[in-house]
Amino acid sequence: MPKNEKYLWDGAVVFPYPPDKEAVLLKNDGSSVYLSRDIAAALDRKSRFNFDQMYYVSSEDNYWVPGMVFQKNKVQTMLRNLHHIKYGRIQGMSSRKGSIFSLSDTLNYGREIALKIIINSPNNRLNSNEEILRTADALAVTGLVVGDLKLHRGKDYVFNWQKALEFKGDSGLLLQYTHARLYR
């Protein structure tokens, strides 16, 4: 069999990717997989929008797939300016296993933690419940954003609200505190 040619294996269409990987393009029952849908979507976008640059975003474990697929002659010509951006996953979350959290649930949980920090702080100068809730919301958003962005984009990680809202290091809470001190 020629190198880099697709082949059938137990009824599935498989594409070898040197040196030691393979990708299934169609399952043996004829149904598609993420990879074949990604290829079709990329080709469709190219034909509809005729983009100059395309960015393919996928997790670390799918990093090799676009490189393999988009280096094939016909697809490579059509998608010459495709770039791959890999990202890490939040460990403990999986849409396939149903263990994901909505953004609103995540921020509500962060707000609860921030409320405890504000209420227990001896330096709390907030006068109304409205101010406390608004501040807790801002701290939760900042904690989530800074806690996520300070980590390397391509690495898997476990998100931890306690670390995101601690009052030291490079946390969102410290960033907000520093901003407030500079603003006054």
Side-chain angles (χ1 to χ4, degrees):
M1 172 184 339
K3 205 173 194 178
N4 283 342
E5 290 299 320
K6 69 180 180 183
Y7 64 93
L8 289 176
W9 179 74
D10 194 26
V13 177
V14 179
F15 182 85
Y17 181 60
D20 61 348
K21 296 188 182 215
E22 295 178 323
V24 174
L25 296 176
L26 288 174
K27 295 192 267 183
N28 60 3
D29 63 2
S31 60
S32 64
V33 294
Y34 285 126
L35 176 57
S36 55
R37 290 189 294 269
D38 286 345
I39 295 168
L43 293 171
D44 178 61
R45 288 181 189 122
K46 178 62 177 173
S47 69
R48 287 190 337 186
F49 304 115
N50 196 26
F51 55 78
D52 293 325
Q53 303 288 319
M54 180 179 175
Y55 297 91
Y56 183 91
V57 181
S58 69
S59 64
E60 173 76 26
D61 56 340
N62 290 329
Y63 183 67
W64 62 274
V65 172
M68 175 267 299
V69 171
F70 298 121
Q71 288 176 20
K72 287 299 287 174
N73 293 341
K74 185 175 182 181
V75 176
Q76 182 183 24
T77 301
M78 294 177 76
L79 299 175
R80 183 171 291 124
N81 294 323
L82 180 117
H83 307 281
H84 185 248
I85 299 172
K86 62 181 179 173
Y87 65 88
R89 292 195 224 177
I90 303 172
Q91 293 179 345
M93 288 191 169
S94 170
S95 57
R96 288 183 184 162
K97 295 178 183 174
S99 57
I100 58 171
F101 307 97
S102 69
L103 180 59
S104 61
D105 288 346
T106 303
L107 289 173
N108 286 339
Y109 183 73
R111 179 176 53 183
E112 295 298 320
I113 294 171
L115 279 170
K116 289 177 186 171
I117 291 170
I118 292 168
I119 291 168
N120 294 326
S121 172
N123 300 321
N124 180 6
R125 295 185 187 142
L126 301 172
N127 297 320
S128 69
N129 284 339
E130 183 181 321
E131 275 185 307
I132 291 172
L133 288 174
R134 199 170 51 240
T135 301
D137 283 338
L139 292 177
V141 170
T142 303
L144 181 64
V145 171
V146 172
D148 188 53
L149 291 180
K150 74 179 182 179
L151 303 169
H152 186 276
R153 173 180 43 83
K155 302 285 183 192
D156 292 351
Y157 66 95
V158 176
F159 184 80
N160 181 320
W161 272 112
Q162 269 51 47
K163 283 188 177 184
L165 292 175
E166 65 186 358
F167 199 59
K168 60 182 178 182
D170 52 0
S171 69
L173 191 64
L174 189 60
L175 180 65
Q176 287 283 29
Y177 173 78
T178 303
H179 177 264
R181 297 285 297 197
L182 290 172
Y183 187 71
R184 287 183 185 225

